[in-house]
Amino acid sequence: MSTDSITIPPETARHVLWTFACAGGYQPGSFTLKLLELLASADPANTRRLATAFPAEAEAVRMAKNDQDGIAKLTAIASGVAA
């Protein structure tokens, strides 16, 4: 799955920031919280499965976990600076 076409909404970015205990985030509802925690701990095969139904959430968690500047990108998205 290509991540180039996935748009992460500001709300999703804020939820992921909260999940990773970063400034600028806020707590999601119980389902979204469990989903983000599951994505954060899933192995690659199960992450791909979850990403088919929740692409923005999966990409945002991937960014937070794996991109050197992922938290900065998510912070920019959350604040409306980045698209």
Side-chain angles (χ1 to χ4, degrees), residues 31-69:
F31 177 83
T32 302
L33 176 60
K34 289 177 184 188
L35 172 64
L36 296 175
E37 290 172 343
L38 182 62
L39 282 163
S41 63
D43 59 69
N46 285 308
T47 298
R48 285 190 297 276
R49 289 182 184 125
L50 289 165
T52 61
F54 303 99
E57 291 82 353
E59 176 59 11
V61 169
R62 185 204 63 75
M63 287 171 61
K65 286 177 58 176
N66 301 325
D67 287 2
Q68 184 174 359
D69 60 348

Side-chain angles (χ1 to χ4, degrees), residues 8-28 36 60-61 63-64 69-79:
I8 299 170
E11 181 177 43
T12 299
R14 288 188 289 270
H15 290 162
V16 171
L17 289 169
W18 187 90
T19 301
F20 285 85
C22 297
Y26 66 81
Q27 184 174 4
L36 296 175
V61 169
M63 287 171 61
D69 60 348
I71 296 299
K73 288 178 183 176
L74 290 169
T75 300
I77 293 168
S79 66

